[in-house]
Amino acid sequence: MRNDFTLAELVIVACADAFRGNGEVLASGIGTAPRLGAGLAKLTHSPELMMTDGEAFLVENPVPFGTRPAAPAFSGYMSYARVFDIVWSGRRHVMIGPLQIDRWGQANLSGVGAYDKPKIAMLGMRGLPGNSINHLNSMFVPNHSTRVFVEGEVDIVGGVGYNPARWQPGMNRDSIDIRRVVTDLCVMDFEGPDHAARVRSLHPGVSFEEVQAATGFPLIRPDDLGETPAPTAEELAVIAALDPRNARASVFKDNPPGRRAA
Amino acid sequence: MTATPLDKRLTAEEVVARLRDGMTIGIGGWGPRRKPMTLVRAILRSPLKDLTIVAYGGPEVGMLLAAGKVRKLIYGFVSMDVIPADPYFRKARQAGSVEARELDEGLLQWGLRAAGMRVPFLPTRTGLGSDVMTVNPEFRTVTSPYADGEVLLAMPAIRLDVALLHATRADRLGNTLTQGPDPFFDELFARAADAVYVSADTVEDQLALDADTAKDNRYERCFVTGVVHAPGGAHPTSSGPLYGWDFKALKAYAASADAEDGWARYRTTVIGADEASYQANFSGLDAIMALPMPVF
């Protein structure tokens, strides 16, 4: 049994798996673990993914974190105007870290509390409404808790999901695909009946009951529920090359091991 | 008789003198990138008030909110990226002191495009099912007149009284170059506005360009009302490829919000009375122009 990996490395591999088999789409990982996950996916199982340098250019070799000895080789251009065009075409998969997520896969990046006077205001909706109705979306949650996975609807719906009350006849929801939610406890998806939330895999040493207790809505436990796959030596080497300064050590407080001490 | 040649040069103060209380003002750039900060600081030093600000917001939005200039804000986000949430934006939202019209980033683009195309709205799926529809209660849907019958959001045009933009180079006729990695949506702000004022790091008599460089001309001079020579005029935001954002300056701005009288002190000691004293706070123009572009 492998023990020599961190929880951050485990979730980076799980993030990478979300980008598996997506085809030629722009893979946008926002934040350390999603970005490393997208890069890992491209350098291992999904070389067809498209990716940017984090500014405005396409690269075929995912750029490592931090200062670089030389500018990367660009293979194309991806200004924000073109990002919007790609979004509306459906050829993208973005993984973000929202403030709140609900049982319908709806996401909130705007703030906590009432919209008119939120208790905590954050950035605004950014691209969530357009991303979520047009292309693949996944989420990363470093602190799995009932504060993030809320009991009712998220306070401000930016990213749309599978809540039937939000949709009228004639609105086209065919492209909505909330693919994966990767947390510090597990990997979830919305592949239950009528897009109900499921636990897809548990991180080593985590129980289903612990995940359910930290989630504000009921979760489905599949019969074949297994463990989130540990990183392979090859995956760990790719992650280390993409993150030479070990930014991944800051993904979780105290950088815990991937396998909990018994 | 010879016609008078075009000369659109103005000072930042002359631009602000043309603005009025209650105007709808679009601000170009994106977050901490290529914001017309010299023009924004001139507004901060003026008595203007009750503005509606339309932006992919960065520190300019936080500063205008802190200074009490903004009645209504139309935005997709307000963020400095390296400092994710602007503290004065957060304070204003949490106090409920600004009429906040939150949009998806792409909807903001769509609203500006509709205004530039002089149509009342553009249809899109984006926004449906989200709280964009509830926090913008005047938004309506439209049903496709074709066989599909699809119900779409009719994103209304966002017409601007004024757009304030920052360019890399400009000339006195109003020709501009917007260089750096990403032009963002300045051209849509320009086409959506009744009057457009562009600050630029350099202003020349007349641009004389090779074909490759001429491609960096993103909007036509017929849309440019005035040109302001503002070297270092995007600071503390970036003006690629000339200079990067000033992380230390952005951090100091954000930290000022921690103190009770933080904005008043920032306004006096940093924004100051004019651009020369402002730039002196950051070791002068040469130091600003030498700020490296960020790496991700």
Side-chain angles (χ1 to χ4, degrees):
Chain A
M1 188 189 291
R2 294 186 56 84
N3 255 329
D4 51 346
F5 57 90
T6 65
L7 180 60
E9 288 161 343
L10 180 84
V11 301
I12 289 163
V13 172
C15 289
D17 194 57
F19 291 100
R20 187 190 295 269
N22 294 173
E24 281 186 272
V25 300
L26 180 67
S28 304
I30 313 295
T32 301
R35 175 173 155 183
L36 287 170
L40 175 63
K42 182 166 172 60
L43 290 173
T44 55
H45 49 73
S46 301
E48 65 276 14
L49 292 169
M50 300 189 293
M51 208 160 284
T52 75
D53 67 336
E55 184 75 48
F57 298 96
L58 289 166
V59 291
E60 291 301 340
N61 292 308
V63 294
F65 273 50
T67 47
R68 303 182 272 270
F74 300 138
S75 52
Y77 187 48
M78 190 51 62
S79 64
Y80 265 104
R82 286 186 45 181
V83 172
F84 292 176
D85 290 342
I86 281 275
V87 166
W88 294 24
S89 80
R91 304 291 287 257
R92 184 168 181 247
H93 183 172
V94 68
M95 182 182 277
I96 61 156
L99 295 170
Q100 295 175 329
I101 301 167
D102 63 28
R103 69 185 68 195
W104 299 283
Q106 299 179 129
N108 171 12
L109 196 61
S110 296
V112 176
Y115 176 81
D116 287 339
K117 200 174 169 182
K119 280 200 288 283
I120 302 168
M122 287 306 288
L123 310 189
M125 293 196 191
R126 292 225 68 151
L128 266 62
N131 294 345
S132 54
I133 200 168
N134 282 302
H135 61 61
L136 294 173
N137 283 258
S138 291
M139 296 178 249
F140 175 67
V141 176
N143 51 339
H144 195 133
S145 70
T146 52
R147 278 189 311 156
V148 178
F149 294 101
V150 294
E151 190 183 342
E153 267 200 320
V154 295
D155 292 341
I156 302 167
V157 176
V160 302
Y162 306 113
N163 183 2
R166 291 233 160 216
W167 299 93
Q168 295 164 23
M171 292 180 177
N172 186 326
R173 297 182 265 162
D174 294 351
S175 298
I176 299 176
D177 188 338
I178 312 302
R179 188 54 70 93
R180 298 280 168 84
V181 182
V182 177
T183 82
D184 55 332
L185 299 181
C186 68
V187 179
M188 296 158 58
D189 63 31
F190 291 88
E191 295 177 24
D194 297 324
H195 300 289
R198 294 193 321 170
V199 177
R200 188 180 180 91
S201 67
L202 294 163
H203 297 346
V206 177
S207 70
F208 178 84
E209 290 68 29
E210 182 182 355
V211 173
Q212 181 61 77
T215 307
F217 47 84
L219 295 168
I220 291 174
R221 176 185 190 146
D223 294 339
D224 58 349
L225 178 61
E227 213 171 66
T228 307
T232 65
E234 186 209 352
E235 286 166 336
L236 289 173
V238 172
I239 293 168
L242 284 172
D243 182 27
R245 294 176 177 209
N246 204 18
R248 62 194 180 283
S250 310
V251 170
F252 299 112
K253 189 175 179 304
D254 303 329
N255 196 23
R259 215 171 272 286
R260 287 179 179 181
Chain B
M1 187 177 135
T2 316
T4 315
L6 280 177
D7 189 348
K8 297 180 179 172
R9 288 173 297 179
L10 294 170
T11 66
E13 292 69 30
E14 287 170 330
V15 169
V16 172
R18 296 181 178 202
L19 307 181
R20 296 288 171 263
D21 292 350
M23 274 187 164
T24 297
I25 299 182
I27 302 180
W30 176 278
R33 296 170 176 90
R34 222 184 45 252
K35 289 291 177 178
M37 295 305 292
T38 291
L39 301 179
V40 169
R41 282 187 288 271
I43 294 176
L44 294 173
R45 296 179 192 117
S46 80
L48 269 180
K49 61 180 187 328
D50 293 331
L51 303 175
T52 292
I53 297 295
V54 180
Y56 293 102
E60 86 286 7
V61 169
M63 290 181 191
L64 290 166
L65 285 166
K69 302 293 188 193
V70 187
R71 188 180 61 78
K72 181 175 173 183
L73 186 62
I74 300 173
Y75 61 104
F77 60 84
V78 178
S79 172
M80 296 186 280
D81 279 17
V82 279
I83 304 165
D86 182 288
Y88 290 106
F89 166 72
R90 295 186 64 185
K91 278 188 179 185
R93 287 286 288 117
Q94 288 165 196
S97 60
V98 63
E99 186 183 338
R101 295 304 184 92
E102 215 161 282
L103 296 176
D104 170 272
E105 295 165 355
L107 283 181
L108 179 46
Q109 178 207 30
W110 225 218
L112 293 171
R113 192 179 280 283
M117 293 167 71
R118 303 186 295 166
V119 296
F121 67 88
L122 284 171
T124 175
R125 284 176 195 153
T126 294
L128 298 178
S130 79
D131 275 330
V132 161
M133 305 299 287
T134 48
V135 306
N136 296 281
E138 75 279 19
F139 284 12
R140 296 288 177 268
T141 57
V142 65
T143 302
S144 167
Y146 299 106
D148 55 86
E150 185 170 342
V151 173
L152 299 155
L153 168 59
M155 176 62 205
I158 304 173
R159 192 72 210 170
L160 307 173
D161 294 313
V162 169
L164 303 177
L165 310 173
H166 186 75
T168 322
R169 291 167 64 184
D171 69 17
R172 63 187 171 81
L173 289 78
N175 295 301
T176 58
L177 293 185
T178 303
Q179 297 179 307
D182 194 328
F184 305 112
F185 301 96
D186 286 15
E187 64 189 75
L188 298 182
F189 281 93
R191 297 193 176 101
D194 293 337
V196 178
Y197 300 102
V198 183
S199 61
D201 288 294
T202 58
V203 175
E204 302 157 42
D205 195 47
Q206 188 172 318
L207 294 178
L209 311 168
D210 60 43
D212 271 352
T213 313
K215 289 181 184 170
D216 292 334
N217 171 240
R218 304 283 177 171
Y219 45 91
E220 303 71 34
R221 67 171 161 75
C222 60
F223 297 104
V224 176
T225 315
V227 170
V228 176
H229 183 216
H235 183 273
T237 71
S238 63
S239 180
L242 299 176
Y243 49 94
W245 62 56
D246 188 336
F247 180 55
K248 263 164 60 182
L250 292 173
K251 229 165 98 174
Y253 155 69
S256 74
D258 295 340
E260 190 62 46
D261 61 343
W263 173 253
R265 284 181 52 193
Y266 189 85
R267 167 69 187 84
T268 310
T269 60
V270 181
I271 302 296
D274 54 41
E275 286 298 277
S277 69
Y278 172 80
Q279 293 186 343
N281 292 314
F282 305 97
S283 308
L285 178 61
D286 291 348
I288 288 171
M289 299 301 288
L291 288 163
M293 290 293 284
V295 174
F296 297 91

